[in-house]
Amino acid sequence: MAFKPVKERPYGDPKSVVAALFEEAGGVPAVMQLLELSRTRVYALADPDATNEISYSRVARLTEATGATSAAKDLAYLAGGIFMPLDQSDDDNWLSLAGEASRKHARNITALMDSLSETERSPGEIDEQEAREILKVLDQQLAVLARQRSKLARIANGERDPSVRPVSDKD
């Protein structure tokens, strides 16, 4: 059962990060068990109207136990960077993924430039909601590109790409 918050939380708001962390961690029952908290306490930690805050040690425990990345992404952003998990499946067709990410990136940059240009269809500004939606898409694309960079760096360091099948001498 995944965590499905009822109240709307703006993208990037601390309570939205906590809600995303809980969802990634397996939902309320899993969080209750991992943190040894009641259902009411868990919901209050993600409630934008509650003053309850989650401790760093609890965030760390959930992240380590479940591999959830929401908190790491948010902290990296606050520190002026980005966090992109790289331990995805090694059998991905990374060239195809990189190509698709490049095509999406080009379309998004075009749409972004169109949004910033004052035309009869656009006021020439991006509002907060539009920026949040664009950030969601860009975050997904950056994750794919970071994975591709990681694979290329391993190849450049002489490591075998796990997604490539070894060529036998008989071929």
Side-chain angles (χ1 to χ4, degrees):
M1 178 172 143
F3 181 73
K4 297 292 183 194
V6 177
K7 296 179 181 175
E8 188 170 327
R9 294 157 186 83
Y11 181 73
D13 178 79
K15 294 288 186 160
S16 73
V17 174
V18 172
L21 175 64
F22 289 178
E23 187 172 340
E24 284 182 278
V28 171
V31 173
M32 288 170 53
Q33 183 178 3
L34 284 166
L35 300 182
E36 299 176 0
L37 295 174
S38 70
R39 180 177 301 276
T40 303
R41 290 275 317 270
V42 171
Y43 273 102
L45 292 172
D47 185 343
D49 297 329
T51 58
N52 303 57
E53 299 287 339
I54 189 167
S55 70
Y56 183 81
S57 63
R58 286 181 171 156
V59 170
R61 192 176 326 151
L62 286 174
T63 300
E64 184 176 30
T66 66
T69 60
S70 297
K73 288 177 184 177
D74 188 58
L75 287 172
Y77 167 75
L78 293 173
I82 58 173
F83 170 78
M84 296 293 158
L86 301 177
D87 58 338
Q88 300 293 328
S89 172
D90 283 331
D91 61 355
D92 286 340
N93 181 340
W94 64 276
L95 291 172
S96 176
L97 288 172
E100 181 60 25
S102 295
R103 284 187 289 280
K104 285 182 180 178
H105 185 64
R107 286 192 302 266
N108 287 335
I109 292 297
T110 300
L112 180 60
M113 293 302 127
D114 286 346
S115 294
L116 291 172
S117 302
E118 191 171 337
T119 65
E120 63 184 49
R121 290 181 18 199
S122 173
E125 297 178 6
I126 295 177
D127 65 24
E128 290 178 12
Q129 183 58 36
E130 287 174 307
R132 287 184 190 105
E133 294 302 317
I134 292 168
L135 283 172
K136 286 180 192 178
V137 173
L138 288 178
D139 286 349
Q140 293 168 350
Q141 291 172 0
L142 287 171
V144 171
L145 291 174
R147 287 173 53 201
Q148 304 330 312
R149 188 201 183 284
S150 173
K151 287 185 180 235
L152 287 171
R154 289 195 314 242
I155 293 167
N157 287 329
E159 298 175 36
R160 187 181 77 79
D161 181 0
S163 64
V164 175
R165 293 192 176 99
V167 178
S168 69
D169 293 334
K170 295 177 183 177
D171 288 340

